Amino acid sequence: MRPIRLTCSAILAFALCWVGARRSGPLPPLGPLLDPANGAVGAARAARIPPRMKGIVPGLAGAVTITYDDRAVPHVVAGSPEDAYRALGWVVARDRLFQLELQTRAAAGTLSELNPQLLRLDTVARRIGLGWAAERKFALLKEGGPERRSLDAYADGVNAYVAQMQPWELPIEYRLLGRLPMRWEPKHTMYLLSRMNQTLSFQVPEYSVVLAGALVGRAAAEQLYAAEAPIQEPIQPNGQKATRFDLRKLPPPGAPDTAILSAAGTVALAASAVGGATAGDPEWREASNNWAVSPRRTKHGYAILSGDPHLDLSLPSIWYEAHLTVKGELDAYGFTFAGTPSIVLGFNRDVAWSATNTGADVLDLYRETVDDGRHPTKYKLDGAWVPLEVHEEVYRGPGGRRLQLDTLYFTHRGPMRSLRGAWVSMRWTALDTTNAAASIAVFQRAQRATSVATLMTAMEGYVAPAQNFIMADRAGSIGIRSTGRYPIRPGNGSGIEVRDGSTRASDWTGYWPLDQYPQSVNPAQGFLASANQQPIDPKVNKRYLGASWPAPFRAMRINQRLRADSAWTPDAIRRMQVDSGSARADLFVPEFLGAAERLAKGGHGAPELTHAAALLAEWSRSYTPGDKRAVLFESAMEFLSRGVWDELIPADSLSPLRPPVPGAMALARLMRDPASPWWDDKRTPGVVESRDDMLAAALVGALNDLTKKYGDENGEAWQWGRRGPIEINHLLRLAPFGEHGVQARSGPETIAPRAANGTHSSSERLLVETGPELHAWTTYPGGQSGNPFSRYYKNRVPQWASGGLDSALFGAVPPNRTIATLTLVPAGSR
Amino acid sequence: MKALLGILMLSAAFAVGTYTVGWWAVPVLGAAWGLAATPDRRPARVAGLSAALGWCALFALTASYGSAMEVATAVGTIMKAGTAGFLALMLLFPLALAASAAGVTSALRGAST
């Protein structure tokens, strides 16, 4: 008996030690996970913020005091900017350690080391050169220069926290993945900035035009995705007192352009190979709003600034709120990204600023000629063979096992890929190393700006991603500038073509001079606003800046409201931030109703059309959670889009040459041409549909579909809040750590937006009233802590959803609003 | 009474060991108990029970700081084991580990005597 017992015990003990210490399939090591003191449940203990904390940070010149206010915002008081950045690194690591690592891995292309299923994202990140550019930019930072010192200081803070962290403070995500935090390197900040470039400026407008051109001819395709928006409400005021409509007829669909079919294939594959980017359906993504009102249009006589960047929502949020103070040098409050040693969007005593994405075309593709179609070593340039930069990439999985090998090629322009035998390279401002320090320096300079003028000067070197920076100062000035580096292309200057890479004549010839940037200071209209729309009216400046402009519906609504009032208060601006009215609905609802009325008058109005139109007419054109008609409009728009753009569906359903659905601007132009051949539904041979036929069919189709799915039109299932809630996923999409079904006043293309199935919306809201005494309010859909069990993990979500804001504590934190203090001291101190 | 006291003391040792050096304390202490205890004291059962009790106490301590049950529910959901499944695993793991480690050393000790 004894040998058997011994053997069984030994096997069991060994097996348990094995699963305790090693990964077993999808399971992390069970020992550290289940450990009730230091394992996953330790997250409950780590959720507390002890009232008094102390830490040691090597490199600190003196003690730094950090006071956490009752929203868990750290107020850092340091003796030097570097010490402030060390402290910022510490507090961000304490609250967002896993986020720091995940973002860096996303740019470095090493997510597969956490989960092999993320390999595809890694290949994209590496192939578009995110890590390649980050490394090169970091290498160019001057050792001992202010930017490098700030990155070093930030890294000191992060690593000091990690070194002194208790085992139970390890973020739960690491326990679930069975990993320990990586060391934070100063260069990781550059990775984070690369990642932001991917999010905000990786757009390939060539994709849409070339693919659609292959199906309906280039002339029609260029108008479907027109570089010039037919509805103009530009960022740089154009002197008009209302929206300018230029809804010219769309050219009819032409014959498939076989000449560009091969190019279309190349571009389609290029776009997918380098990142899967498209310019399709732009108005549903990458949206943001900001606006500023001059003192003469505000009730209190002070300028007011509103900032509202829209991004994919996540828990923890991409933003972290902080206040940095260095006596006599720095006193800035606002939002920073985890990993960035500065306030990115915020304010100081004198000036406030925020940003929206410009969406300029800063990425071009080139057909390259190489010496060997399979294993190239050189590419042709002006008749000579030039060596390629070649990198062998290894992708690893958990435990370091090798998952995949890849060879990356780089020309002087940037990354190059092989696509069905063709080689295509990419030039992208995000990869340019000129002025590498600027991406760090501009925000650090902005923190110290004293006016709109000095803030604009501070941001002059900014490269990418291009942003519409809006600002307002205590003297009452307001300003905006679409800041970034905009390429000047040879020839016609267009960025919507794949150029010949074998000659330098195809290369960019320079960048826009600063004085031509879209910009304005203290305009006569008394306000400024941006919502990602085309920045300059082409009537003012026709130079090509981009082609991926979202429809200006949010800009229309914002400007319409700003024009209508001359006594703005901060609270009125706060309410406007969550305005759920829709200029898009104002444009298209009358089209549906008009079609139904015309058909009825002509004796073609079926009862179900009359009923559908009556339901739509009931709609307030506002996306409130309880509204039961918004869903009908959205569904009708979907039906309409599917019916109208059937010419863009390739005959071969498996073809990769599938252009994105044209946006609402093309549809708006089409409305002015009731008999356009685009209206005809090719799936109904023998019948030629008109505009009204298609509008009616879409409306009736939507009603029938919704009734079938959700029952009676007055039932609760039709409520917009149930059909269009906000979804805030955890970074790893772990359902228990997300916030789902959030009811908010938001809809597609409203000022308070909801896009991409509810996962994209307002990522933070900032409201600042400047003047002798500054007042500021903030919120964001999350909380300061990255610990899902902290009361500060998602505590602001209800406030955010209801349109509320908290007053930001800008100044000393009073004792009754202090929840904790942290003192950081230099190594060797007691 | 003496046996109960022994179990409680061993439980405390498992708790303190886990708290200070982590989960590896469980097989190490289990093995040590197997060597130290005479076979008539059923070392494997006592070690297993004590380890489970020790971890239970640690869980209670952690819960005193905050939402340990919420964590158990969330992790149980992520692991597709449910709250009860996760809590059961948290008790069964040290129980089986300590018992098997004690069983091995106890059997070895018996073989050598």
Side-chain angles (χ1 to χ4, degrees):
Chain A
M1 277 300 285
R2 187 170 289 156
I4 295 173
R5 210 177 70 194
L6 173 63
T7 308
C8 290
S9 294
I11 291 172
L12 182 60
F14 179 79
L16 288 169
C17 284
W18 181 272
V19 297
R22 303 285 300 253
R23 297 184 64 86
S24 315
L27 282 180
L30 288 183
L33 178 76
L34 298 173
D35 178 339
N38 306 307
V41 292
R45 185 176 178 188
R48 289 173 62 243
I49 304 182
R52 297 210 181 283
M53 297 176 280
K54 191 171 178 183
I56 298 167
V57 183
L60 273 182
V64 178
T65 308
I66 296 138
T67 308
Y68 285 89
D69 70 22
D70 50 11
R71 295 192 305 146
V73 175
H75 298 254
V76 175
V77 180
S80 71
E82 278 77 31
D83 278 1
Y85 301 143
R86 281 186 186 87
L88 186 61
W90 175 289
V91 297
V92 168
R94 187 186 179 283
D95 280 326
R96 304 289 184 85
L97 186 59
F98 181 71
Q99 184 180 30
L100 276 172
E101 174 158 351
L102 197 71
Q103 289 176 164
T104 305
R105 287 186 175 279
T110 57
L111 289 170
S112 57
E113 292 175 17
L114 305 180
N115 181 349
Q117 291 177 345
L118 302 176
L119 180 63
R120 196 189 66 78
L121 295 178
D122 284 347
T123 56
V124 169
R126 295 199 202 186
R127 287 175 181 179
I128 64 175
L130 297 184
W132 174 75
E135 294 278 350
R136 295 195 322 156
K137 287 179 187 175
F138 181 75
L140 288 169
L141 292 182
K142 193 176 158 197
E143 191 86 37
E147 295 82 15
R148 177 61 195 269
R149 287 205 315 271
S150 68
L151 300 193
D152 290 345
Y154 193 89
D156 285 347
V158 173
N159 292 322
Y161 172 75
V162 173
Q164 289 160 61
M165 178 176 68
Q166 296 298 316
W168 40 266
E169 289 178 307
L170 184 71
I172 193 167
E173 291 89 347
Y174 286 109
R175 292 292 183 210
L176 292 168
L177 291 166
R179 297 188 67 89
L180 292 172
M182 68 181 190
R183 184 170 176 77
W184 180 265
E185 305 284 347
K187 68 182 179 185
H188 289 160
T189 296
M190 307 307 277
Y191 277 86
L192 168 69
L193 298 174
S194 274
R195 171 80 173 140
M196 288 312 296
N197 270 298
Q198 183 188 18
T199 302
L200 296 172
S201 74
F202 192 83
Q203 294 168 332
V204 189
E206 294 90 334
Y207 184 90
S208 316
V209 173
V210 178
L211 285 189
L215 296 167
V216 295
R218 177 100 190 182
E222 284 188 350
Q223 292 302 310
L224 287 175
Y225 311 96
E228 294 179 2
I231 301 178
Q232 282 295 325
E233 190 75 66
I235 292 171
Q236 177 179 299
N238 59 359
Q240 304 222 0
K241 291 195 167 69
T243 304
R244 183 172 72 78
F245 290 86
D246 186 13
L247 298 172
R248 281 168 290 178
K249 289 182 180 179
L250 275 180
D257 190 340
T258 50
I260 61 170
L261 263 175
S262 61
T266 300
V267 174
L269 290 166
S272 60
V274 296
T278 75
D281 207 11
E283 62 257 56
W284 283 73
R285 291 188 185 87
E286 290 154 16
S288 297
N289 306 323
N290 60 28
W291 62 88
V293 186
S294 286
R296 65 188 169 81
R297 295 187 77 105
T298 64
K299 188 172 182 181
H300 304 146
Y302 307 125
I304 300 178
L305 177 138
S306 167
D308 183 10
H310 309 160
L311 290 165
D312 284 341
L313 304 182
S314 67
L315 281 170
S317 162
I318 190 170
W319 299 106
Y320 184 79
E321 198 167 325
H323 180 193
L324 304 180
T325 310
V326 177
K327 196 173 179 187
E329 280 196 69
L330 178 64
D331 190 9
Y333 187 111
F335 295 95
T336 177
F337 296 124
T340 309
S342 63
I343 298 299
V344 175
L345 304 177
F347 56 90
N348 59 31
R349 296 273 166 206
D350 299 308
V351 61
W353 69 97
S354 188
T356 63
N357 198 35
T358 302
D361 183 4
V362 292
L363 188 161
D364 282 346
L365 300 174
Y366 301 84
R367 283 184 302 277
E368 301 288 358
T369 309
V370 296
D371 60 340
D372 180 340
R374 290 176 61 84
H375 304 290
T377 58
K378 295 171 186 162
Y379 67 108
K380 192 170 255 183
L381 193 63
D382 293 335
W385 289 105
V386 179
L388 286 161
E389 188 181 327
V390 181
H391 294 185
E392 299 296 339
E393 298 286 319
V394 181
Y395 297 88
R396 297 192 182 277
R401 70 191 160 92
R402 186 182 287 190
L403 294 178
Q404 183 177 302
L405 293 173
D406 196 9
T407 305
L408 304 187
Y409 302 92
F410 297 87
T411 72
H412 71 288
R413 301 185 176 99
M416 181 180 84
R417 296 295 303 166
S418 167
L419 310 151
R420 287 186 182 170
W423 288 84
V424 176
S425 73
M426 177 177 89
R427 175 103 190 250
W428 182 23
T429 55
L431 306 181
D432 280 2
T433 52
T434 319
N435 211 359
S439 50
I440 305 295
V442 288
F443 293 109
Q444 293 179 348
R445 289 200 299 259
Q447 296 174 141
R448 297 185 177 91
T450 54
S451 64
V452 164
T454 55
L455 185 52
M456 281 199 165
T457 304
M459 291 185 162
E460 278 179 10
Y462 184 81
V463 177
Q467 297 290 294
N468 307 309
F469 281 108
I470 198 157
M471 45 203 89
D473 67 25
R474 70 191 301 178
S477 280
I478 61 171
I480 195 166
R481 181 190 279 155
S482 303
T483 305
R485 185 169 288 182
Y486 307 119
I488 298 174
R489 284 116 174 152
N492 63 5
S494 169
I496 315 176
E497 55 190 83
V498 183
R499 292 176 184 268
D500 175 13
S502 69
T503 168
R504 281 189 193 275
S506 298
D507 283 349
W508 296 346
T509 57
Y511 298 97
W512 284 40
L514 193 70
D515 63 355
Q516 288 195 22
Y517 282 24
Q519 55 194 308
S520 177
V521 175
N522 296 327
Q525 64 187 26
F527 64 86
L528 289 164
S530 78
N532 318 98
Q533 75 272 40
Q534 187 169 11
I536 302 188
D537 189 330
K539 273 197 167 180
V540 175
N541 184 349
K542 282 194 79 69
R543 176 177 268 180
Y544 176 83
L545 184 61
S548 301
W549 314 118
F553 295 126
R554 280 175 293 113
M556 290 162 71
R557 181 78 183 177
I558 292 167
N559 287 5
Q560 180 189 45
R561 292 204 53 177
L562 290 176
R563 285 182 186 117
D565 195 344
S566 291
W568 284 99
T569 62
D571 194 55
I573 295 283
R574 177 192 63 75
R575 289 195 302 274
M576 187 174 148
Q577 285 182 332
V578 287
D579 178 292
S580 55
S582 168
R584 174 168 160 266
D586 288 341
L587 187 68
F588 288 108
V589 166
E591 301 290 353
F592 283 107
L593 300 182
E597 193 180 329
R598 285 187 293 272
L599 287 171
K601 276 184 185 166
H604 304 294
E608 53 185 356
L609 173 61
T610 307
H611 180 53
L615 292 177
L616 187 62
E618 290 172 1
W619 187 34
S620 63
R621 301 180 197 172
S622 184
Y623 294 80
T624 52
D627 181 272
K628 293 176 182 169
R629 297 295 170 254
V631 67
L632 176 62
F633 173 67
E634 287 305 320
S635 181
M637 288 295 282
E638 268 185 53
F639 268 84
L640 184 64
S641 192
R642 281 204 296 268
V644 169
W645 306 120
D646 53 337
E647 289 84 354
L648 298 174
I649 300 170
D652 173 7
S653 61
L654 298 176
S655 170
L657 311 182
R658 187 178 288 266
V661 175
M665 290 295 85
L667 207 51
R669 287 176 66 179
L670 204 52
M671 292 294 173
R672 299 291 170 268
D673 189 3
S676 167
W678 286 104
W679 290 114
D680 183 29
D681 189 343
K682 303 292 179 213
R683 294 162 295 187
T684 55
V687 182
V688 178
E689 287 86 357
S690 69
R691 174 193 64 191
D692 288 354
D693 295 331
M694 294 302 285
L695 284 164
L699 191 53
V700 170
L703 177 61
N704 291 339
D705 184 55
L706 293 172
T707 307
K708 194 173 160 188
K709 282 188 200 160
Y710 308 128
D712 180 71
E713 67 245 17
N714 294 314
E716 288 194 354
W718 279 56
Q719 287 183 347
W720 177 247
R722 295 182 66 168
R723 301 278 68 87
I726 298 289
E727 299 292 327
I728 313 177
N729 290 314
H730 175 257
L731 290 172
L732 292 179
R733 296 188 176 266
L734 299 173
F737 299 163
E739 184 74 351
H740 308 286
V742 179
Q743 302 287 311
R745 295 167 60 95
S746 60
E749 286 303 311
T750 60
I751 294 177
R754 173 206 172 272
N757 296 324
T759 59
H760 186 105
S761 187
S762 171
S763 64
E764 56 99 333
R765 295 193 188 108
L766 170 70
L767 174 57
V768 184
E769 184 183 55
T770 61
E773 258 195 56
L774 180 139
H775 299 283
W777 299 264
T778 62
T779 195
Y780 63 92
Q784 291 288 91
S785 176
N787 182 335
F789 305 99
S790 164
R791 60 180 294 199
Y792 300 106
Y793 177 64
K794 52 185 179 184
N795 58 313
R796 300 193 194 181
V797 172
Q799 176 194 56
W800 171 87
S802 67
L805 292 170
D806 273 327
S807 176
L809 270 174
F810 187 49
V813 184
N816 64 340
R817 293 195 61 184
T818 299
I819 60 166
T821 55
L822 163 66
T823 307
L824 298 177
V825 296
S829 301
R830 282 175 178 270
Chain B
M1 189 63 194
K2 194 177 169 188
L4 181 63
L5 200 62
I7 288 174
L8 287 177
M9 291 194 56
L10 190 56
S11 300
F14 276 112
V16 171
T18 304
Y19 189 89
T20 50
V21 301
W23 72 278
W24 277 110
V26 173
V28 171
L29 286 173
W33 181 251
L35 279 176
T38 53
D40 61 314
R41 294 178 70 183
R42 299 178 186 279
R45 289 186 198 181
V46 170
L49 184 63
S50 301
L53 278 175
W55 277 36
C56 230
L58 281 180
F59 182 77
L61 178 72
T62 305
S64 72
Y65 288 108
S67 47
M69 279 304 288
E70 268 183 56
V71 181
T73 301
V75 177
T77 304
I78 291 163
M79 294 174 75
K80 298 185 171 63
T83 312
F86 178 75
L87 290 174
L89 198 59
M90 190 189 285
L91 295 182
L92 288 175
F93 179 73
L95 188 150
L97 185 55
S100 59
V104 171
T105 51
S106 171
L108 287 173
R109 176 187 165 175
S112 66
T113 54

